Amino acid sequence: MRELTIEDIDDLAAGATLLGTGGGGDPYVGKLLVKQAIADHGPAELVEPDDLPEEGRVLTTAIIGAPTVILEKIPAGTEFRAGIGALAAYLGEDPVALMSIEVGGVNTLVPIATAVELGLPIIDADGMRRAFPQIEMTVFTLHGLMAAPLSIADDKGNMCVFEATTNQKAEALARAAVVELGMATSISCYPMTVGDVRRAGIGGSITYCTEVGRRLAQIKQGAEGAWQELLDYTDAALVFSGKVIDIDRRTIEGFARGTVVLEHLEDATRTMRVEIQNENLIAFEEGKAVVTVPDLLCLLDYESADPMTTESLAYGQRLNVLAMPCAPEWHRDGMLELVGPRAFGYDIDYVDFRGHR
Amino acid sequence: MRELTIEDIDDLAAGATLLGTGGGGDPYVGKLLVKQAIADHGPAELVEPDDLPEEGRVLTTAIIGAPTVILEKIPAGTEFRAGIGALAAYLGEDPVALMSIEVGGVNTLVPIATAVELGLPIIDADGMRRAFPQIEMTVFTLHGLMAAPLSIADDKGNMCVFEATTNQKAEALARAAVVELGMATSISCYPMTVGDVRRAGIGGSITYCTEVGRRLAQIKQGAEGAWQELLDYTDAALVFSGKVIDIDRRTIEGFARGTVVLEHLEDATRTMRVEIQNENLIAFEEGKAVVTVPDLLCLLDYESADPMTTESLAYGQRLNVLAMPCAPEWHRDGMLELVGPRAFGYDIDYVDFRGHR
C-alpha cells in the first residue's frame, strides 16, 4: 500500500493524457475531482491485489460518452457513487476496493476520486493501460470475464442496470442508454473479485501512468535526456513530426470520430493521416498503416511535449507523433479480433511499428 | 373473483384486436400463449382490486417493440417471467397479482398467460383500455405514478432495470434498449400497489374487452342487430366504409409508422387517410381530422367484421372505419398533452368524432 497525495496527481494526470491517446476524455476535470476529494478526505490508498482478500468484490467506475461532450459537461461526482451504489445493491455485495477500468484519460482519475470519497482503496491495475472507446475492449474480455451486470447513472436520478450475454451486447445496451441520457454518464462495469484482478488485470498501471507523467514533466522542465528517458521507459518510438494541415471531427452514434492530417516539418512531401474514434487509432503514411491499435498512438505538442486530446487539436499545430507498444498483457488469443484494426472497421492488418524505426 | 377459461379466450382476443386499434401486436400469439398456459396450469383467476390487500405489490408485463417485428418473433414466454423476476428482485418484493398495462392488442393476453404460469391472479383493470405506442401514455402518468423502476428482458438472458426521473425518460431508455435487443422484448413497468390500481386504474377493462369480443363474434355469426349492439355497448360510430387504395408502412426508430388511404365504397370522390404509429392514430377526410387520439380508430373487414391489425392491411381490402370514445378515465388534466394529436407530432386539435355522426 502507498498513498497518492495531491503532489502525485499532476504527474498521474499528465501520464493519463498521454496514455489516453487523444481520447478517454480530458483528464483535467478528473484531476480537479481527485484533488478536491483528497483535500476533503485525505490521500488515496493505492493497493496491490495481494493486499486484499481473494474473494473481495472489486467495482469500477468511469465516465462513458463522447469526449467532445464530456469536456462540456462537468461531472457532478454523484453519478459515480450512484452507479456504484446501484450495482453493489444489485449484486448484494459492497466493494472492498475500486479500480480504474482504463488507465488513460479522465477515467484514470475518476475512480480514484470516488474511492477517496467512499473511503475505499484503489487497486494499482486496470483493464487496458490505455483508453479504448468500447466497453468490451479490455484484457478482461480476453480472459472471459463479463462486463455485465453493469450500471449506468447520471446525476439527476436516472439509472440503469444491465445483464448481457456478451460484452458486445453490454456495450450496445450501455451505449444506447448513454445516448438517451445526454452522452456523458457514469458506468460501473466488470464487477470482479480480487482474484479476477490478480489473474486478468494489467498490474501496476496507475504507477506506470504516474511514471510516464513524471517523465513528461521532466521534458517540460528541459531536463537533459528527458525525451530519451520517456522513450526508454515506454519502449516508444517517435514516428513523425508534422504540422496539422487538415482536421475533421464529428460526433456520431455516441462517438467522436475524425481524421487529422499532418505534413512533415522537414519534408513537405511526407504526410501522415491519423484516424480517430474517440482515441487515435491508426496512423497512415502514403496510404500505408505505420501504427495500429492496440499499440498506442500519441500526439504531443512539438515544443511543450504536452499530450494532445482529440478536442484540443487545431489547424497549424506542430506535433510529435509517438508510437508506444500496448501493455504485454494484451498479447493473448483474440487480441486482434477484439482491439485490432478490423475491430474498428479498418480492413488492414496489425503492424508492429517497431519494424519501422 | 371469476375464472377465465379457454372458452373465454377467443372473445377476449377478438376484443383485444379491436381495442388494439391496429397496433398493440397481433393478439393471435397471445391467444396461443394463454390457451397453453391454461391447458397446463388451469384457468386464470380474474380479480378486482378490492379482492387484494391495499399495500400488495402489482406488477405488469408486456411485449415492447415494433408490431411488425413482434409478428415475426414469437415470444418464448421466459422473457416475461425473467422481466418480472428481475423487477421483483430489484424492488425486494414479490407481486400479489399481475395486471395488463394495456387492454388492446397482444399485451391484453401476455400478462394473463404469465399470471397463470406464476400462479398469480390477474387484476381486471389496465392503464389504457386501448393500445398506445409509448410507455408514458397511460392514465397512471396522469395520476403521477412512475413507469420506473422498470425492467426489459429478452429470452436469451439479456436484462435491463431502469430508474428514470420522468415517464418520458423511462420510455426513451427502454426504447433504446429494445432497439438493441432486436425490437421485441418484455417490459415490466409501473410497479404499483393495489391501492394505486384502485385509485388510478381503468377498472373492468378485461371484462369490457371480452364483452366487445363477444359482440364481434355475434356479428360474425350473422346475429340480428349484432352491429348495433356493438355500437351501443362501445358508444361507437361507423364513420367510413371504404376500399384501401394506398398503403405505406415502414419501421423506423423502433416504431411501425404508416399511412392508409381509403376510397369510399359508395362515393368515390370521398377518401379517408388514416395515420399510423404502431396504432391507428388519426383519420382525415378532405384534410380535416374527423377522429383523433385518444379516441379509438378501428378498421374492420367490411364483410367479416374482423378487426384489422396494421400488418394485415393490404391494397384493395374493403373496410369499415369505427370510431370509439376512449375510456372515461382518460378525461383528466393533461390528457391531450400526453395522448392528444400533438403528443404524436400532429399540429391539430382533438376533435370529438361524435360531433360528426
Side-chain angles (χ1 to χ4, degrees):
Chain A
M1 197 276 274
R2 68 180 177 93
E3 287 185 345
L4 285 176
T5 63
I6 287 183
E7 288 64 44
D8 296 308
I9 303 307
D10 284 341
D11 285 343
L12 184 60
T17 313
L18 192 76
L19 298 179
T21 66
D26 189 332
Y28 181 73
V29 167
K31 189 162 85 170
L32 297 185
L33 289 175
V34 175
K35 286 188 173 179
Q36 187 64 51
I38 292 178
D40 290 349
H41 303 278
E45 197 185 329
L46 190 67
V47 297
E48 304 295 324
D50 286 344
D51 300 336
L52 299 167
E54 174 87 11
E55 292 305 316
R57 175 65 58 184
V58 178
L59 294 183
T60 72
T61 189
I63 303 178
I64 179 171
T68 39
V69 176
I70 293 167
L71 190 70
E72 307 270 321
K73 190 176 163 189
I74 307 297
T78 52
E79 61 271 53
F80 307 112
R81 298 192 293 276
I84 286 172
L87 192 56
Y90 182 80
L91 296 166
E93 199 180 356
D94 285 325
V96 298
L98 299 191
M99 183 175 64
S100 302
I101 202 72
E102 60 184 351
V103 164
V106 66
N107 287 333
T108 312
L109 297 147
V110 158
I112 301 176
T114 310
V116 168
E117 284 164 3
L118 293 175
L120 290 169
I122 184 96
I123 297 184
D124 192 3
D126 84 322
M128 305 186 198
R129 212 181 75 188
R130 55 162 298 156
F132 268 129
Q134 291 175 211
I135 295 168
E136 77 275 19
M137 295 176 166
T138 63
V139 294
F140 305 131
T141 297
L142 296 180
H143 281 266
L145 295 168
M146 299 300 283
L150 68 83
S151 67
I152 298 280
D154 71 9
D155 57 346
K156 300 180 189 68
N158 296 299
M159 196 276 298
C160 321
V161 173
F162 296 104
E163 292 274 6
T165 49
T166 66
N167 289 354
Q168 283 74 10
K169 184 59 76 182
E171 159 65 27
L173 287 167
R175 191 71 51 183
V178 170
V179 171
E180 291 305 329
L181 294 176
M183 301 290 285
T185 69
S186 83
I187 180 168
S188 180
C189 54
Y190 293 98
M192 271 180 264
T193 64
V194 171
D196 291 332
V197 176
R198 268 181 216 161
R199 204 175 72 253
I202 299 176
S205 47
I206 296 280
T207 299
Y208 178 90
C209 184
T210 314
E211 290 299 314
V212 166
R214 192 155 297 158
R215 282 159 180 80
L216 284 170
Q218 286 163 355
I219 295 173
K220 251 185 123 63
Q221 289 155 16
E224 182 96 20
W227 255 109
Q228 194 55 46
E229 253 208 56
L230 176 68
L231 297 181
D232 289 347
Y233 184 74
T234 57
D235 200 20
L238 181 65
V239 294
F240 205 86
S241 299
K243 190 177 64 176
V244 177
I245 57 166
D246 194 22
I247 182 162
D248 174 37
R249 274 173 304 209
R250 52 212 178 276
T251 298
I252 39 174
E253 291 166 8
F255 291 110
R257 291 173 195 266
T259 305
V260 175
V261 181
L262 302 172
E263 181 185 276
H264 201 281
L265 292 182
E266 285 159 18
D267 178 357
T269 67
R270 286 179 65 189
T271 57
M272 175 168 275
R273 189 176 91 244
V274 174
E275 293 281 334
I276 299 166
Q277 181 182 328
N278 284 14
E279 282 75 43
N280 308 322
L281 297 184
I282 302 178
F284 292 93
E285 202 178 335
E286 289 172 26
K288 206 164 136 275
V290 291
V291 187
T292 63
V293 273
D295 289 336
L296 286 73
L297 180 57
C298 311
L299 305 178
L300 299 90
D301 185 88
Y302 186 75
E303 277 81 27
S304 71
D306 282 333
M308 307 298 290
T309 60
T310 305
E311 312 87 59
S312 61
L313 291 172
Y315 186 86
Q317 280 168 343
R318 303 199 306 160
L319 304 174
N320 275 321
V321 181
L322 215 62
M324 200 180 290
C326 64
E329 287 83 349
W330 274 109
H331 289 277
R332 297 179 62 86
D333 274 359
M335 171 182 84
L336 291 182
E337 290 77 6
L338 188 67
V339 290
R342 285 180 222 282
F344 294 90
Y346 297 92
D347 190 22
I348 57 169
D349 291 326
Y350 168 75
V351 296
D352 185 343
F353 71 86
R354 286 167 293 194
H356 297 262
R357 274 199 255 198
Chain B
M1 197 276 277
R2 68 182 179 93
E3 286 187 346
L4 285 176
T5 64
I6 287 182
E7 288 65 43
D8 297 308
I9 303 307
D10 285 342
D11 284 344
L12 185 59
T17 312
L18 192 76
L19 298 179
T21 65
D26 190 335
Y28 182 74
V29 166
K31 188 161 86 170
L32 298 184
L33 289 175
V34 175
K35 287 188 173 179
Q36 188 63 51
I38 292 177
D40 290 349
H41 303 279
E45 197 187 329
L46 190 67
V47 297
E48 304 295 325
D50 285 345
D51 300 335
L52 299 167
E54 173 89 9
E55 290 305 315
R57 175 64 59 184
V58 179
L59 294 183
T60 72
T61 189
I63 304 179
I64 179 171
T68 40
V69 175
I70 293 167
L71 191 71
E72 307 269 322
K73 190 176 166 191
I74 308 296
T78 51
E79 60 272 53
F80 308 112
R81 298 191 294 278
I84 286 172
L87 191 56
Y90 182 79
L91 296 166
E93 199 179 358
D94 286 326
V96 298
L98 298 191
M99 183 177 63
S100 302
I101 202 74
E102 58 184 350
V103 164
V106 65
N107 287 334
T108 313
L109 297 146
V110 158
I112 302 177
T114 309
V116 168
E117 285 164 1
L118 293 176
L120 289 170
I122 183 95
I123 296 184
D124 192 3
D126 83 322
M128 305 186 199
R129 211 178 76 186
R130 54 163 298 156
F132 268 130
Q134 291 175 211
I135 296 168
E136 76 275 17
M137 294 175 166
T138 64
V139 294
F140 305 131
T141 297
L142 296 181
H143 281 267
L145 294 167
M146 299 299 284
L150 67 83
S151 67
I152 298 279
D154 70 9
D155 56 347
K156 298 179 190 71
N158 297 300
M159 196 275 298
C160 321
V161 173
F162 295 104
E163 293 274 6
T165 49
T166 67
N167 289 355
Q168 284 73 9
K169 184 57 77 181
E171 158 67 27
L173 287 167
R175 191 70 51 182
V178 170
V179 171
E180 291 305 329
L181 293 175
M183 300 290 285
T185 69
S186 83
I187 180 167
S188 180
C189 53
Y190 293 98
M192 270 179 265
T193 64
V194 170
D196 291 332
V197 176
R198 267 181 218 160
R199 203 175 73 253
I202 299 176
S205 47
I206 297 280
T207 299
Y208 177 90
C209 185
T210 313
E211 291 299 315
V212 166
R214 191 157 297 156
R215 282 158 179 80
L216 284 170
Q218 286 163 355
I219 297 173
K220 252 183 121 63
Q221 289 154 17
E224 182 97 21
W227 255 110
Q228 194 55 48
E229 253 209 54
L230 176 69
L231 296 181
D232 289 348
Y233 184 74
T234 57
D235 199 22
L238 181 65
V239 294
F240 204 86
S241 299
K243 190 176 65 175
V244 177
I245 57 166
D246 194 20
I247 182 162
D248 174 35
R249 275 174 303 213
R250 52 212 179 278
T251 299
I252 40 173
E253 291 167 8
F255 292 108
R257 292 173 194 266
T259 306
V260 175
V261 180
L262 302 172
E263 182 185 277
H264 201 280
L265 293 182
E266 285 159 20
D267 178 357
T269 66
R270 287 179 63 190
T271 57
M272 175 169 273
R273 188 175 93 243
V274 174
E275 294 282 333
I276 299 165
Q277 180 181 327
N278 284 15
E279 283 75 42
N280 308 323
L281 295 184
I282 301 178
F284 292 93
E285 203 179 333
E286 290 172 25
K288 204 164 136 278
V290 291
V291 187
T292 62
V293 275
D295 289 336
L296 285 73
L297 181 57
C298 310
L299 305 178
L300 297 91
D301 184 88
Y302 186 75
E303 277 80 28
S304 71
D306 282 333
M308 308 299 288
T309 60
T310 306
E311 312 88 58
S312 61
L313 291 173
Y315 186 85
Q317 280 168 345
R318 302 201 305 161
L319 304 174
N320 275 321
V321 182
L322 215 64
M324 199 180 289
C326 63
E329 287 83 351
W330 274 110
H331 289 277
R332 296 179 62 85
D333 273 359
M335 173 183 82
L336 290 182
E337 290 77 6
L338 188 67
V339 291
R342 288 184 217 297
F344 294 89
Y346 296 92
D347 190 22
I348 56 169
D349 290 327
Y350 168 76
V351 296
D352 185 343
F353 69 89
R354 286 168 292 195
H356 298 262
R357 273 200 255 199

